[in-house]
Amino acid sequence: MKSAAVTIAAVATPSGKGGIAVVRVSGPAALAVARNVCDHDGLRGEVVSHYALVGLIRHPEGGEAVDQAVVLPMIAPGSYTGEDVVEISCHGGEQTARLVLDACLSAGAAMAGPGEFTRRAFLNGRLSLDQAEAVADLIHADDALSARAALAQLRGGLRRELAAVETPLLELHAQLEGSLEFGDEDDVGPDSASMMEVFASSLESVDTLLADARGGRLIRDGVQVVLMGPPNAGKSSLFNALLGEQRALVDHEAGTTRDVVSSRLSIEGVTFVLHDTAGLRDDGDRVESAGVALTRREAARADLVLQIQPLDGAPTVFEDCCAAVLRVGSRADLASDMTLYDGLDVATSARTGEGLDELRRLMTVAVDAGRMNEVARAGRALSQRHRERLEAARTDLALLREQAEAHTAVEVLASLLSGVLAQLGEVTGRVYSERLLGEVFSRFCVGK
Amino acid sequence: MIQNYDIIVIGGGHAGIEAALAAAKKGRRTALVTHDVSEIGRMPCNPAIGGLGKGHLVREIDALGGVMGRVIDQTGIQFRILNRSKGPAVQAPRAQADKHLYQAAMVDLVRACPNLTVIEGDAAGLFTESDAAGQRRVVGVALGDGQTVGSSRVILCAGTFLGGLMHTGDVSTEGGREGAASSRQLSGGLADLGFELVRLKTGTPPRLHIDSLDLEQLEIQPGDPDPEPFSVFTRSFAPRSEPCWIAATNQISHDLIRANIDRSPLFSGTIEGRGPRYCPSIEDKVVRFAERTSHILFLEPEGLETPEIYVNGLSTSLPRDIQEAVVHAIPGLERAEFVRYGYAVEYDSVPSWQVLRTLESKLVTGLYLAGQILGTSGYEEAAAQGLVAGVNAALSLSNEAPLVLERSESYIGVLIDDLVTKEITEPYRMFTSRAEHRLFLRCDNSVRRMLPHAERLGLLDDAEIEFMNERVTAADRLMKILEPGETGSRLRRPEESITTLESTSPALKEVLAQTTESLPPEQVRAVRLEAETSIKYAGYISRQRRLLQEQSHLDDLEIPDDFVYDHLIQISSEAREKLARVRPETIGQASRIDGVRTSDLAILSVLVRRGKIS
């Protein structure tokens, strides 16, 4: 982390081929750096903020021309970081962007660290912590749904939802404390019935938020889909057929005992992540068994399990699993007697394409895609941090209700309620905890 | 003529007494400067000690070796445990005192204390000098008669006397309280030294003659049939139990007050000072709680030999004729005679952010402040500070580590942390809600909590320390019997108690009785309560601790002494100002300052860390 006296620069746009690349410079010397790389009248004397200039970027040492670019000065505090910022939009291509950046570095800027621009934006009060988090999400959002969720959070949707839960609890807390301070004489304090009502409705609200939290994780991380079935059930063919032209997006998950291939698939704006399982790769030393069960690891991953029943063989017994399940028949083109298999949701053929559209539709229904979209828009999609705090608050809230019903002393109730409020407060930012900072800024990469 | 002492205490009120006695007990040659020796320990307001929050303070003062608890046990005329119906953490002892006996007992204690000399006089100023680095330190006190008393440690416990001005209606008199001169010069001296002063006010109700009251019409409030002493060292406790009476204002009295509100100095603007919100004058109450048609009043005897009855709840500075009319409108008080009229007093106080946790002032080395002068309200709050200041002044003379109590272990800790951290804009009174560790900071376990400190401080003799240990052991033994298995699970149910368990198991009753049989009878109930509550609350306490621990990491993040706040444009100017004044030692303390928001804390945290890296 550099001191705010240092002017930083970095390429703000992702690498790769693109029409425009942006190099961002922020700090007290941003304008000076700009002047050093671009000889333009508009950068001398009274610089007009947010007024774009077109100029030639030259390397300050040697004067070698780099690119014709748009130079946009933004004077503090009205910039992203709250400091003086100059954004140089140059012609795309990694090479050009790098040359422009080099020029800036030679002109006096220092290379920015990951997330440094956003960190400065936060330190200068331009972004709240929640909003900084949302920026990270927005950057990482690789589908429409997450983007929408991140945007809604950026606009304060989450805070509003939680304030609705917090406010009556804060009021109740004040009343409880008041009743403890005024002794036996004055009958001040909330009556039992209204107190229980507040607990009940708070629990309901938190439960709703948490239900949507599951939606939140699905939005952020993608729906984890696991294919399960006997060897040679045609899982790999189905896997490939589902991906279709989207095969281009393939991640390799390193760091495990064997490389697992997962592929991402986008259906109706929702990201599904299909996972390789034991049966998919022909693993020679696997013991064959009539029934097929998920390994614990696979089960832990799964939001949705596709139980693949080959339609050209004997019916398979699948073990129960806890996630949502779709029973999918494969090799429908080779099927003879469909009456053998009951409870099938859809019959598919990787070869002919039969049933694939229907399968995709069923997958979105299975995770209630419609609801996921609504959640995203309302900004109720929750990060892991939010979810953990809310879950802790929920547990305490349930305990609180239980204790109130058992007529536990008011001082204990007040103490438990403080705990609930502390948990909630951490999510809304009312209560400060060091956890927040670390989590938020670790997710950034350079240039943001 | 210059006399020299190790420690000088200015003021013979509740803070001054504890400070002087503690200092003297630690072997320091101590002088107590006071206007009038016979006024030492005077209770200018409520003739009572203890109550919610305050009772907790007294128990802790007692366990550390202070005297307030013992003296009220000797001179109290009614004892009650408040909030019995609520919970063990908010229960607190309270006692009505015979004011004259209390005062006399304090005077005796002070006179009999070795190492302690009383100097009757007026402290007019402080002598200080600067060292090479420009740091000021105190070297002595100037008395009104021209004499000088030298010392490197001065504890200022001037209460409401600094620039004291009393008001009754439109009549204003200079004075720290009725019948006592104010200390004008000392205020000026403090201001000259660079201390910021703030004017506060507090009020007191009228006193009525008991014979003129129609007590038949009033509800009696008796003392507890089985009273409990404050002090853990009190034996053969068999106090008097004088009743109090309950009355109430009514619409007529309220109308009278409202009609004459402009004659009240509080409202006419004659008094500039800020008053206490929770001990408001009757004018305040009537205006602020306009919808209430009646406010409760407690008529409390001021002593066994005096006919004066203190009207608790009727604090006022209205003119005499209005006070009379208001009182006479109350059933039972139609013919009441006034022995004293109510009045308000405004005084200079030294906002407490100007002292360190040891209660030594930041500006002048060796100068300590304690009590109402720092903006607190209440005898108990004053006594707690006096004890801390006295002990710390003595410890500093021998270069020993000072007494610093944590919020997590005592109400005194909460009090001092609040004083040095928060902005006190009105007189500060202790409430249990100020303590986030309330479930743990109870009256029943104050001995256990204070024991390690008591052992180090040396204010108690060996036999007393031994007894404290005995009491803790007894509670431990009870817990060992009650905690495990079926008994423990039963006890943890809200509706169960040791008593209910005993009623179904004579064997248990026998065992428990045996465990406590060597304890003095006064302590048995408290020890049983401690054991019972510790078991019932263990789960909640550890849960609370866990939660607070996450917050307490903030107390580990230290802010460097030389951290500069002025340039931090990222933080709101209000926060910046407060941070620069308080100069918190940790992020945790910063989080407790009013006006510092979580976003400010986040920024501060990052900056402090960044400073550590670079």
Side-chain angles (χ1 to χ4, degrees):
Chain A
M1 225 192 305
K2 290 170 218 59
S3 110
V6 175
T7 297
I8 50 178
V11 178
T13 41
S15 55
K17 301 185 199 333
I20 297 179
V22 174
V23 172
R24 183 191 274 156
V25 185
S26 175
L31 289 173
V33 166
R35 270 194 294 276
N36 276 338
V37 302
C38 179
D39 188 13
H40 194 297
D41 283 337
L43 289 172
R44 284 190 284 269
E46 274 300 314
V47 178
V48 180
S49 186
H50 291 76
Y51 193 85
L53 311 163
V54 179
L56 189 61
I57 307 294
R58 286 181 197 278
H59 201 284
E61 289 157 24
E64 181 199 332
V66 175
D67 191 19
Q68 180 92 327
V70 174
V71 178
L72 181 63
M74 289 170 279
I75 313 271
S79 66
Y80 180 65
T81 56
E83 305 169 327
D84 281 348
V85 169
V86 176
E87 284 187 358
I88 302 173
S89 303
C90 53
H91 294 93
E94 290 186 51
Q95 184 71 337
T96 321
R98 242 208 314 253
L99 287 173
V100 171
L101 178 60
D102 276 347
C104 291
L105 296 177
S106 297
M111 188 67 209
E116 205 165 344
F117 291 100
T118 306
R119 197 190 333 261
R120 287 184 180 202
F122 167 70
L123 287 179
N124 290 330
R126 300 290 289 158
L127 290 178
S128 76
L129 210 50
D130 250 10
Q131 288 171 322
E133 234 177 340
V135 171
D137 289 340
L138 205 50
I139 291 166
H140 289 290
D142 54 9
D143 63 47
L145 206 51
S146 328
R148 221 178 284 133
L151 214 55
Q153 182 171 335
L154 204 55
R155 292 202 199 107
L158 177 65
R159 200 172 290 124
R160 264 194 302 277
E161 297 275 346
L162 278 174
V165 179
E166 252 189 347
T167 308
L169 287 174
L170 282 167
E171 254 170 53
L172 181 60
H173 189 247
Q175 286 175 24
L176 283 175
E177 290 293 345
S179 80
L180 288 172
E181 296 310 339
F182 283 98
D184 307 302
E185 323 108 7
D186 276 319
D187 207 7
V188 288
D191 66 277
S192 182
S194 57
M195 196 165 64
M196 297 306 289
E197 216 181 279
V198 172
F199 293 153
S201 72
S202 303
L203 263 167
E204 210 182 289
S205 306
V206 173
D207 278 336
T208 308
L209 282 169
L210 279 172
D212 290 335
R214 195 170 163 269
R217 185 180 59 71
L218 295 178
I219 290 169
R220 286 190 151 88
D221 303 337
V223 184
Q224 309 297 314
V225 182
V226 165
L227 279 74
M228 116 193 210
N232 292 322
K235 292 190 289 296
S236 44
S237 315
L238 186 55
F239 189 92
N240 290 334
L242 271 174
L243 290 172
E245 320 84 50
Q246 300 198 34
R247 200 124 236 275
L249 301 166
V250 176
D251 308 75
H252 285 266
E253 188 184 306
T256 51
T257 50
R258 64 183 176 108
D259 270 358
V260 174
V261 176
S262 357
S263 288
R264 300 172 95 86
L265 167 68
S266 179
I267 306 175
E268 280 180 38
V270 178
T271 300
F272 290 82
V273 184
L274 305 184
H275 291 286
D276 182 358
T277 67
L280 197 64
R281 304 257 226 84
D282 222 338
D283 225 336
D285 41 5
R286 273 260 173 189
V287 174
E288 301 232 355
S289 53
V292 184
L294 290 178
T295 63
R296 200 168 302 157
R297 211 184 81 206
E298 290 151 356
R301 268 188 214 279
D303 292 316
L304 176 62
V305 170
L306 303 185
Q307 288 176 345
I308 313 297
Q309 165 69 64
L311 296 173
D312 62 345
T316 315
V317 176
F318 288 96
E319 241 189 46
D320 279 332
C321 55
C322 45
V325 162
L326 278 177
R327 304 172 82 84
V328 182
S330 61
R331 301 214 190 97
D333 52 316
L334 299 175
S336 43
D337 188 355
M338 288 299 287
T339 60
L340 285 174
Y341 318 103
D342 55 10
L344 278 185
D345 290 304
V346 62
T348 66
S349 164
R351 196 140 47 95
T352 65
E354 177 190 339
L356 289 180
D357 283 337
E358 175 65 6
L359 175 55
R360 288 194 195 99
R361 188 189 71 81
L362 287 173
M363 283 166 74
T364 58
V365 167
V367 288
D368 201 2
R371 187 162 167 71
M372 280 171 73
N373 256 302
E374 182 198 299
V375 165
R377 247 190 297 264
R380 277 183 272 150
L382 301 173
S383 68
Q384 170 114 351
R385 170 174 85 85
H386 294 158
R387 190 160 32 99
E388 276 170 12
R389 292 294 110 219
L390 269 186
E391 268 162 13
R394 200 233 176 253
T395 311
D396 286 354
L397 202 44
L399 177 64
L400 181 51
R401 182 168 65 171
E402 198 185 287
Q403 293 296 313
E405 269 162 0
H407 300 291
T408 305
V410 173
E411 62 198 18
V412 173
L413 298 181
S415 160
L416 289 173
L417 187 49
S418 293
V420 171
L421 287 168
Q423 310 275 29
L424 290 178
E426 253 197 61
V427 185
T428 57
R430 190 175 47 85
V431 172
Y432 178 63
S433 156
E434 290 283 283
R435 255 197 294 259
L436 312 186
L437 285 186
E439 284 169 17
V440 174
F441 292 114
S442 63
R443 300 169 59 202
F444 281 94
C445 40
V446 183
K448 303 294 171 287
Chain B
M1 192 199 336
I2 298 186
Q3 305 158 270
N4 271 300
Y5 289 88
D6 293 331
I7 298 176
I8 300 175
V9 177
I10 300 176
H14 302 278
I17 292 172
E18 298 287 353
L21 289 172
K25 277 189 202 156
K26 286 197 70 59
R28 293 295 167 187
R29 279 191 70 235
T30 311
L32 175 61
V33 178
T34 180
H35 287 179
D36 183 348
V37 139
S38 65
E39 289 286 286
I40 287 176
R42 168 106 181 252
M43 289 181 173
C45 202
N46 205 340
I49 296 284
L52 304 173
K54 293 163 176 270
H56 293 73
L57 284 171
V58 180
R59 281 271 160 93
E60 288 174 14
I61 291 169
D62 178 60
L64 289 172
V67 302
M68 183 173 259
R70 295 181 213 230
V71 175
I72 186 61
D73 284 345
Q74 289 164 28
T75 59
I77 57 179
Q78 190 208 71
F79 288 77
R80 291 178 67 223
I81 303 277
L82 301 187
N83 262 352
R84 254 192 223 267
S85 62
K86 300 258 169 79
V90 296
Q91 278 179 22
R94 185 179 184 278
Q96 296 292 139
D98 180 317
K99 288 168 64 156
H100 303 289
L101 289 179
Y102 187 91
Q103 220 170 299
M106 284 300 187
V107 171
D108 286 345
L109 266 180
V110 165
R111 282 212 167 109
C113 183
N115 297 327
L116 182 53
T117 310
V118 178
I119 299 178
E120 221 168 18
D122 174 32
L126 299 169
F127 287 115
T128 63
E129 59 184 38
S130 296
D131 65 17
Q135 175 61 40
R136 272 200 178 279
R137 58 165 186 260
V138 74
V139 292
V141 175
L143 299 178
D145 62 4
Q147 286 188 80
T148 307
V149 193
S151 179
S152 65
R153 301 289 185 271
V154 174
I155 309 178
L156 186 50
C157 307
T160 57
F161 280 63
L162 292 187
L165 204 54
M166 300 185 300
H167 303 270
T168 306
D170 30 27
V171 178
S172 304
T173 340
E174 261 195 41
R177 60 170 179 240
E178 200 170 29
S182 81
S183 297
R184 273 260 220 102
Q185 293 168 283
L186 201 45
S187 277
L190 286 174
D192 288 340
L193 284 170
F195 284 97
E196 191 185 298
L197 301 176
V198 140
R199 246 162 133 63
L200 292 178
K201 69 166 160 47
T202 191
T204 194
R207 274 58 151 186
L208 307 173
H209 197 291
I210 192 172
D211 295 340
S212 65
L213 306 180
D214 189 1
L215 299 173
E216 305 286 301
Q217 287 192 55
L218 303 171
E219 191 189 324
I220 280 196
Q221 188 188 64
D224 283 348
D226 53 347
E228 227 178 280
F230 274 87
S231 172
V232 74
F233 308 108
T234 295
R235 304 283 175 267
S236 313
F237 187 58
R240 298 284 296 254
S241 189
E242 298 297 307
C244 295
W245 294 271
I246 301 176
T249 58
N250 50 26
Q251 200 61 270
I252 304 174
S253 31
H254 290 191
D255 290 341
L256 271 166
I257 293 170
R258 270 191 278 264
N260 289 281
I261 207 83
D262 52 316
R263 291 177 69 192
S264 159
L266 289 162
F267 281 83
S268 67
T270 320
I271 295 190
E272 328 155 5
R274 300 279 306 267
R277 227 187 320 158
Y278 6 81
C279 187
S281 65
I282 191 69
E283 298 93 283
D284 274 330
K285 284 196 243 191
V286 163
V287 168
R288 227 173 329 131
F289 303 109
E291 69 292 346
R292 288 189 62 151
T293 52
S294 138
H295 290 282
I296 200 167
L297 300 173
F298 293 95
L299 302 172
E300 300 170 355
E302 293 215 322
L304 298 167
E305 311 284 313
T306 167
E308 287 188 47
I309 299 291
Y310 176 95
V311 188
N312 194 344
L314 203 63
S315 193
T316 181
S317 65
L318 284 165
R320 295 182 165 206
D321 57 326
I322 307 301
Q323 291 191 32
E324 284 167 10
V326 167
V327 165
H328 293 157
I330 295 169
L333 309 182
E334 294 90 346
R335 274 179 297 275
E337 276 170 37
F338 280 67
V339 181
R340 292 172 209 274
Y341 288 86
Y343 65 93
V345 59
E346 59 173 312
Y347 54 98
D348 287 326
S349 76
V350 178
S352 51
W353 53 267
Q354 296 174 97
V355 297
L356 303 166
R357 270 174 213 289
T358 53
L359 296 185
E360 189 180 12
S361 73
K362 290 177 180 171
L363 274 179
V364 180
T365 310
L367 176 63
Y368 293 74
L369 291 100
Q372 207 146 346
I373 190 179
L374 283 178
T376 59
S377 155
Y379 315 139
E380 305 82 354
E381 288 83 344
Q385 292 166 67
L387 181 59
V388 169
V391 155
N392 282 333
L395 288 170
S396 74
L397 281 171
S398 49
N399 275 314
E400 289 173 71
L403 175 66
V404 172
L405 293 165
E406 302 292 329
R407 298 183 71 93
S408 53
E409 63 182 332
S410 72
Y411 273 97
I412 300 180
V414 172
L415 170 62
I416 300 214
D417 186 65
D418 278 353
L419 282 178
V420 303
T421 309
K422 303 206 162 129
E423 182 161 359
I424 314 288
T425 50
E426 59 195 324
Y428 176 102
R429 197 211 112 117
M430 183 51 72
F431 285 114
T432 59
S433 58
R434 295 194 190 276
E436 59 277 19
H437 292 264
R438 175 167 59 196
L439 294 184
F440 177 59
L441 305 184
R442 308 186 306 270
C443 285
D444 57 67
N445 64 7
S446 45
V447 171
R448 179 187 299 267
R449 289 184 286 111
M450 296 296 101
L451 185 51
H453 298 287
E455 282 170 337
R456 174 171 88 97
L457 288 180
L459 296 176
L460 296 166
D461 62 41
D462 291 338
E464 289 165 332
I465 296 284
E466 200 186 302
F467 176 68
M468 285 175 77
N469 273 294
E470 220 181 282
R471 194 178 171 301
V472 170
T473 311
D476 285 340
R477 279 204 212 105
L478 284 179
M479 282 191 261
K480 238 178 137 185
I481 299 169
L482 293 164
E483 208 278 323
E486 183 64 39
T487 322
S489 356
R490 250 190 87 187
L491 191 54
R492 272 184 275 271
R493 287 190 220 130
E495 68 277 13
E496 300 273 13
S497 68
I498 294 185
T499 315
T500 61
L501 287 182
E502 281 176 331
S503 66
T504 58
S505 171
L508 179 66
K509 188 167 178 175
E510 178 68 39
V511 170
L512 295 180
Q514 274 174 17
T515 314
T516 55
E517 85 191 334
S518 60
L519 290 175
E522 293 87 2
Q523 292 300 311
V524 172
R525 183 181 170 271
V527 167
R528 283 161 59 102
L529 184 60
E530 183 185 351
E532 182 183 299
T533 313
S534 301
I535 294 172
K536 277 170 162 314
Y537 280 13
Y540 304 120
I541 292 176
S542 60
R543 167 186 280 274
Q544 191 176 52
R545 281 233 180 94
R546 234 180 310 128
L547 248 168
L548 289 167
Q549 205 144 37
E550 299 172 351
Q551 290 290 310
S552 79
H553 285 154
L554 299 180
D555 282 313
D556 293 334
L557 192 55
E558 284 176 17
I559 303 177
D561 288 335
D562 53 357
F563 196 86
V564 178
Y565 295 100
D566 304 334
H567 313 318
L568 302 182
I569 42 153
Q570 313 92 321
I571 298 179
S572 70
S573 57
E574 184 199 357
R576 222 170 33 232
E577 211 184 284
K578 299 212 172 157
L579 286 164
R581 269 216 308 235
V582 173
R583 298 212 63 82
E585 293 160 31
T586 64
I587 297 284
Q589 190 185 357
S591 72
R592 295 191 282 277
I593 301 176
D594 281 327
V596 175
R597 300 166 315 198
T598 53
S599 49
D600 297 325
L601 287 170
I603 291 168
L604 195 57
S605 172
V606 174
L607 292 173
V608 165
R609 282 216 177 83
R610 174 196 279 182
K612 289 194 201 300
I613 299 170
S614 58

